[in-house]
Amino acid sequence: AHGYYWSQWTKCIHSSRDFSDMVYIDNYIFNKDVFIQFNSTVGEYVGYTELGVFNARRFNNDPNLLQQERAEVETYCKHNAEIRQAAIADKT
């Protein structure tokens, strides 16, 4: 029970059937608090703690990392949502 807890959660959120409003969120969590987040709507990392602000600045200065994260809406979110929607449609 003693020690540190770190995790990373990614989420894809949408409400439209054509996925035009898809948002990709990548959370970095330390001891149950989000300390840094990438949100595709914002298009860059945002830090919520001193460590998060430091890392957000560092991550935002890496054009390759930003390009990869920005692409996740298409390559990860929409791609997987289309597969799931097709599987559901095939069963109805």
Side-chain angles (χ1 to χ4, degrees):
H2 299 288
Y4 299 106
Y5 176 81
W6 184 90
S7 65
Q8 181 179 3
W9 292 4
T10 57
K11 302 176 191 178
C12 299
I13 302 169
H14 70 92
S15 59
S16 65
R17 289 181 180 244
D18 66 354
F19 313 125
S20 60
D21 62 346
M22 184 72 73
V23 176
Y24 170 75
I25 300 172
D26 190 5
N27 289 313
Y28 295 78
I29 301 150
F30 182 72
N31 287 350
K32 300 182 182 179
D33 292 321
V34 175
F35 71 96
I36 187 170
Q37 179 184 81
F38 178 88
N39 182 316
S40 63
T41 304
V42 177
E44 64 182 18
Y45 287 91
V46 175
Y48 297 103
T49 66
E50 185 177 346
L51 177 63
V53 169
F54 173 81
N55 282 307
R57 189 175 301 120
R58 196 168 55 91
F59 293 169
N60 289 333
N61 285 326
D62 182 342
N64 294 323
L65 180 60
L66 282 179
Q67 181 181 2
Q68 179 181 337
E69 286 284 67
R70 290 172 181 157
E72 293 290 355
V73 172
E74 296 293 329
T75 60
Y76 176 71
C77 292
K78 289 184 181 179
H79 171 74
N80 287 313
E82 289 167 356
I83 291 170
R84 289 186 185 108
Q85 185 175 14
I88 291 167
D90 288 347
K91 295 183 188 297
T92 56

